[in-house]
Amino acid sequence: MTLIELASAGLLLAGAAFFLAGTVGLLRFPDVYCRLHALAKVDNLGLGLVVLGLMLRAEGLAQVLKLGLVWLLALAASATVAYLVARRALRRGVAPWRGEDG
């Protein structure tokens, strides 16, 4: 196994770990705003690590550029959808979670 294959495997595993953390956050966080944070931040970082891991295994520049484009489009879509969901929740009167005291 070469160094590039090891780095690729490490990035893929780290990306999968971030996806798992995002899923746990989605299931465990108390309100819609916290869940959106988990999905928008952690899952995009996980996707970035997976894409970087796949870029190391790509056979040509065209595949690398396509993977980069997929990541950029997913980032833009995720940020847009998270903003729209949060704005809709705020307009419907969903109050942000303030902890046990609030």
Side-chain angles (χ1 to χ4, degrees):
M1 185 174 258
T2 66
L3 185 60
I4 289 180
E5 290 173 342
L6 281 174
S8 175
L11 288 169
L12 291 172
L13 287 174
F18 274 98
F19 274 120
L20 180 64
T23 302
V24 169
L26 177 67
L27 296 174
R28 301 279 310 198
F29 282 166
D31 69 348
V32 67
Y33 306 106
C34 294
R35 292 179 187 142
L36 283 173
H37 180 76
L39 287 178
K41 303 280 184 187
V42 178
D43 279 357
N44 282 329
L45 182 58
L47 178 62
L49 292 173
V50 168
V51 166
L52 287 176
L54 292 175
M55 282 179 171
L56 291 177
R57 294 178 181 224
E59 295 179 2
L61 183 62
Q63 287 182 343
V64 170
L65 292 176
K66 286 178 187 175
L67 286 168
L69 183 62
V70 166
W71 187 20
L72 290 176
L73 291 174
L75 284 174
S78 174
T80 303
V81 169
Y83 170 76
L84 292 174
V85 170
R87 187 175 80 175
R88 182 68 179 157
L90 191 61
R91 286 186 177 176
R92 292 190 68 165
V94 177
W97 182 69
R98 301 277 183 207
E100 300 298 326
D101 298 333

